[in-house]
Amino acid sequence: DPPAAQRTCRAILEIDPGLAGVRGAYAGVLARGERTAEAEEQIAALAREPSTPPPVLASAREALADALWNQRQVDLARALYAELRQAPTTEDRRRTLEVKALALEQGGPQAELVRKILSPEGGVPPASPVVMHLAGELRRVRADGLGAYLAARQLIATSEFRAALPL
């Protein structure tokens, strides 16, 4: 519910404007609500604040990139993902960013499948049977193992290690 989330974030920030995590979440909610200019303003405010934890800023920027991708602003999303891939992050986040960037570069049906799997705006709940179905579809579209990798990630996230092993 983006409007309710926006109201909640604004109300919290009125009480304490220094809460970087809330400001980052607010930027993401604004981006998902197609209010990208306002999201960019919130991200710029986070970037200006030296105490902003880098993961909070990176998360807000990735939410903006995801929203841009969902709004079919592919070039802008691709540029943001490229910047994020250069920033310090965890190995898992870097792999996710690489998969998103690869999907955008390749385009076509595989990009749409990856968007649905990895983007919160893709409409598919994480670790759901739908993700497994989409990963299976991706395995049919690409023979390089990306679909199997994404399916295995979902299984590992739900502690289904034995099922993930063959993938």
Side-chain angles (χ1 to χ4, degrees):
D1 183 7
Q6 288 173 22
R7 286 190 303 274
T8 301
C9 287
R10 276 195 312 269
I12 293 170
L13 290 170
E14 285 177 16
I15 296 167
D16 188 348
L19 293 173
V22 175
R23 188 167 302 283
Y26 185 43
V29 171
L30 289 169
R32 284 188 289 281
E34 298 188 18
R35 296 171 62 183
T36 53
E38 292 171 76
E40 288 170 345
E41 289 172 13
Q42 295 300 317
I43 291 169
L46 281 169
R48 284 190 301 271
E49 181 56 50
S51 65
T52 298
V56 169
L57 182 57
S59 178
R61 294 180 77 216
E62 186 174 355
L64 176 60
D66 290 346
L68 290 168
W69 187 5
N70 282 294
Q71 295 165 25
R72 308 301 191 252
Q73 297 183 48
V74 175
D75 291 336
L76 293 172
R78 186 182 300 121
L80 266 174
Y81 289 137
E83 288 175 26
L84 287 164
R85 287 172 56 200
Q86 301 307 313
T89 189
T90 65
E91 188 62 31
D92 187 50
R93 285 292 348 123
R94 187 173 321 288
R95 280 195 304 270
T96 299
L97 292 166
E98 287 173 7
V99 169
K100 289 176 179 181
L102 177 65
L104 281 171
E105 289 167 16
Q106 299 293 313
Q110 64 187 347
E112 184 63 16
L113 290 166
V114 170
R115 183 185 70 78
K116 287 179 179 178
I117 293 170
L118 294 179
S119 172
E121 294 79 32
V124 178
S128 75
V130 177
V131 170
M132 295 303 290
H133 169 74
L134 294 171
E137 290 294 313
L138 189 58
R139 289 171 75 182
R140 286 187 268 290
V141 174
R142 296 180 64 111
D144 66 355
L146 182 59
Y149 165 74
L150 292 173
R153 276 180 46 142
Q154 295 301 309
L155 291 167
I156 290 167
T158 58
S159 299
E160 294 292 337
F161 303 111
R162 287 184 198 256
L165 191 57
L167 297 171

